[in-house]
Amino acid sequence: MKFKHLFLLAGAFLLLAVPLFSQESDDFEEEEDADDGKVEDEDDILVPKAEYERPIPSGDTHFHEPFDTRAEYLKRWVQSQAKKDGAEDDVAKYDGVWDVSEPRESSIRNDLGLILKSKAKHHAVSAKLDKPFLFDGKPFIVQYEVKFENGMDCGGAYIKLLSKSDKLNLKTLTDKTPYTIMFGPDKCGNDHKLHFIFRHKHPKTGEFEEKHAERPTAKLDTYFSDRKTHLYTLIINQDNSFEIKVDNAVISSGNLLENFSPPVNPPKEIPDPNDKKPEDWDDREQIPDPDATKPDDWNESEPATIVDEDAVMPDGWLEDEEIYIPDPSATKPEDWDEEMDGEWEAPRIDNPVCKDAPGCGPWEKPTIPNPKYKGTWRAPMIANPDYKGQWAPRQIPNPNYFEDNHPYKMTPIGAIGLELWSMTDNIVFDNFIIADNLTVVEDFAAITWEMKNLQERAAESTG
């Protein structure tokens, strides 16, 4: 925790120093103005950027990636050479461009990140973990940073934690590649999401099914629009509890057995698919009264409305004026060809004479509700004496029922991947870490995101 305290203290000093630095700059400008009337360049009064230093985790990790150099990235990460099934040929390839460079508005000098650079492309890149995560009784923690430099219109910035397998080939990563956990932000239009999905293996059939966490109740829209770096953290504990954090604040928590759809464990009983509703089953709660008759004086031919014969035309009504007239200021376009386009007519506009009049054009008497109207006669409804209730098939034991009380024990993870489609470019990823010790992850955030966040806030406060 020494690193965390040291850098938080340094960050706090920076924020406190900003007003003093700005004041000194103002005083310096006044002296310069007195000498030669020149105003110092705006860049000279901005908060100085911190210099990047490689973050070293304070303990053991399964994976950490700060993207120190492009050369290290090329050695470790593999770009997919596959094609997406079902997509048109011109977009099927995973040929979206990735780059490792300093973001456009980096708050720390020489701090590189992995940047998704192209629009309307499939992107896929992945790296193997330093050692697989086995879900053998320790917490699983994954954390990483995302910055939408251009905001986000439609696209994802989530990660996939790929299932460990002898068949796993990073060069063929696609949307069909088996994963254990999918986590991270996703947005299209006004639908803002923060995914947490895990694939659960059916203990009887061996098939996998995606389990989706309940949507967080917290507002997520600013994370996609404020163009700041945000920290996403997922913690899964061995007691099946989980927490999702954004910027170190918990925005969602729950239990793998209770807060996922579809639920991990299926129902003990299911409707019998062979049970059919009897033909004589009457499920009508009410029926027309069979003993009711239409009254003799019920006239169904009367219309619902009639002309108001007592109505008179309002004073000032301009019957001889048209509601719309040709626009007197309109002229025939020079390229108008009457043989091809027909006779030219000026577009019509509201008649200005009618503006203050009660109306223009031919006047007609209005209609009013017909007091004699009764409509079509129908027998009143009564309780159905033969009603048996709403029919439902009988319940039978679920042949696929099982009870898994430890969904925490997921498929081991062998690699981390980003398999994304985006209509927005310049999405910056940085400082991935996967570990089984929360303190190690928190320490890593203290010397990466927390320092970056302090710099971004300080830069924002100085304009």
Side-chain angles (χ1 to χ4, degrees):
M1 299 297 286
K2 290 181 180 179
F3 286 111
K4 182 174 182 179
H5 294 155
L6 175 61
F7 282 98
L8 286 177
L9 185 60
F13 174 78
L14 174 62
L15 289 175
L16 291 172
V18 167
L20 297 176
F21 188 83
S22 300
Q23 182 63 49
E24 291 173 359
S25 299
D26 293 340
D27 294 343
F28 181 74
E29 286 178 6
E30 291 178 3
E31 293 175 5
E32 288 295 303
D33 291 345
D35 292 338
D36 54 16
K38 294 181 179 179
V39 178
E40 200 175 76
D41 187 82
E42 185 182 67
D43 290 341
D44 294 337
I45 63 172
L46 295 177
V47 176
K49 291 184 179 180
E51 189 70 29
Y52 174 76
E53 292 186 15
R54 182 185 182 100
I56 306 299
S58 61
D60 191 32
T61 70
H62 290 259
F63 182 86
H64 71 278
E65 177 60 85
F67 298 106
D68 267 359
T69 67
R70 179 173 178 79
E72 290 182 46
Y73 161 77
L74 293 173
K75 288 180 181 179
R76 187 177 201 184
W77 292 77
V78 178
Q79 186 158 345
S80 176
Q81 300 173 10
K83 291 184 178 181
K84 187 181 177 85
D85 288 342
E88 296 181 5
D89 289 342
D90 56 340
V91 295
K93 290 183 179 180
Y94 283 91
D95 56 357
V97 177
W98 297 95
D99 186 28
V100 173
S101 59
E102 185 173 346
R104 186 175 61 226
E105 297 180 0
S106 175
S107 59
I108 299 176
R109 185 178 290 106
N110 297 320
D111 184 8
L112 309 185
L114 175 62
I115 306 178
L116 183 150
K117 298 292 290 185
S118 47
K119 300 179 182 179
K121 291 280 188 179
H122 291 292
H123 305 74
V125 67
S126 56
K128 289 191 175 181
L129 303 192
D130 299 324
K131 56 180 179 180
F133 195 96
L134 302 179
F135 295 97
D136 56 0
K138 294 181 179 179
F140 170 79
I141 307 119
V142 61
Q143 181 173 271
Y144 70 108
E145 300 171 8
V146 176
K147 180 180 183 181
F148 299 105
E149 286 199 304
N150 294 332
M152 172 53 79
D153 294 321
C154 184
Y158 46 80
I159 60 174
K160 288 183 176 180
L161 299 160
L162 307 178
S163 301
K164 181 180 178 297
S165 169
D166 294 337
K167 299 179 181 180
L168 180 60
N169 182 354
L170 301 187
K171 289 184 178 181
T172 60
L173 173 62
T174 69
D175 58 325
K176 300 294 193 299
T177 301
Y179 68 88
T180 299
I181 293 171
M182 176 174 152
F183 171 66
D186 188 14
K187 182 215 170 187
C188 204
N190 293 320
D191 190 11
H192 304 81
K193 298 178 182 177
L194 181 52
H195 294 293
F196 171 23
I197 305 169
F198 74 94
R199 294 173 73 243
H200 180 262
K201 185 176 181 180
H202 195 296
K204 288 189 174 181
T205 65
E207 296 180 354
F208 285 87
E209 184 177 43
E210 290 184 349
K211 309 296 181 181
H212 295 248
E214 296 172 352
R215 297 184 68 150
T217 57
K219 290 193 67 176
L220 306 175
D221 52 336
T222 57
Y223 304 137
F224 296 90
S225 60
D226 63 8
R227 307 192 182 196
K228 290 185 173 62
T229 303
H230 293 287
L231 184 71
Y232 295 89
T233 311
L234 171 65
I235 304 167
I236 305 175
N237 297 306
Q238 53 270 46
D239 63 356
N240 299 323
S241 64
F242 73 90
E243 281 187 344
I244 297 174
K245 297 181 180 181
V246 179
D247 298 345
N248 286 331
V250 176
I251 67 163
S252 180
S253 63
N255 191 286
L256 301 178
L257 288 168
E258 300 170 3
N259 303 103
F260 282 78
S261 178
V264 170
N265 293 319
K268 291 184 178 181
E269 293 185 324
I270 60 171
D272 184 354
N274 299 317
D275 192 14
K276 306 297 182 183
K277 182 169 72 170
E279 293 183 1
D280 62 349
W281 190 279
D282 195 337
D283 54 9
R284 299 173 298 163
E285 291 189 40
Q286 291 190 320
I287 60 172
D289 184 354
D291 298 326
T293 57
K294 182 172 71 172
D296 294 336
D297 60 349
W298 192 281
N299 187 353
E300 295 183 350
S301 63
E302 286 287 346
T305 60
I306 57 174
V307 174
D308 184 1
E309 298 296 343
D310 297 329
V312 295
M313 184 172 66
D315 292 338
W317 190 282
L318 306 176
E319 283 191 283
D320 296 330
E321 292 287 347
E322 295 184 15
I323 299 175
Y324 303 103
I325 61 171
D327 184 356
S329 64
T331 57
K332 183 171 67 174
E334 294 181 1
D335 60 349
W336 188 275
D337 186 335
E338 293 197 355
E339 291 186 3
M340 297 290 294
D341 304 322
E343 184 180 353
W344 180 82
E345 294 183 0
R348 302 182 75 81
I349 61 172
D350 292 336
N351 189 341
V353 176
C354 301
K355 181 178 179 181
D356 297 322
C360 285
W363 179 81
E364 295 181 356
K365 291 184 178 183
T367 59
I368 58 174
N370 183 358
K372 297 180 181 180
Y373 173 73
K374 292 188 176 182
T376 303
W377 181 85
R378 291 182 177 82
M381 302 299 286
I382 62 171
N384 182 2
D386 298 323
Y387 176 63
K388 294 184 177 182
Q390 295 299 316
W391 183 86
R394 62 176 175 267
Q395 297 289 302
I396 61 173
N398 184 355
N400 293 321
Y401 175 73
F402 64 85
E403 190 172 10
D404 180 0
N405 292 319
H406 304 286
Y408 153 83
K409 295 180 179 180
M410 301 179 190
T411 306
I413 297 169
I416 182 171
L418 292 98
E419 186 271 316
L420 304 168
W421 166 272
S422 179
M423 295 300 295
T424 308
D425 57 1
N426 279 25
I427 305 174
V428 184
F429 299 86
D430 204 359
N431 294 316
F432 293 95
I433 184 169
I434 298 173
D436 56 26
N437 187 318
L438 184 57
T439 300
V440 172
V441 176
E442 290 176 338
D443 289 348
F444 195 72
I447 58 176
T448 54
W449 178 80
E450 291 183 24
M451 286 299 299
K452 192 177 297 184
N453 180 250
L454 284 170
Q455 288 280 341
E456 289 180 352
R457 288 164 52 201
E460 183 180 50
S461 69
T462 59

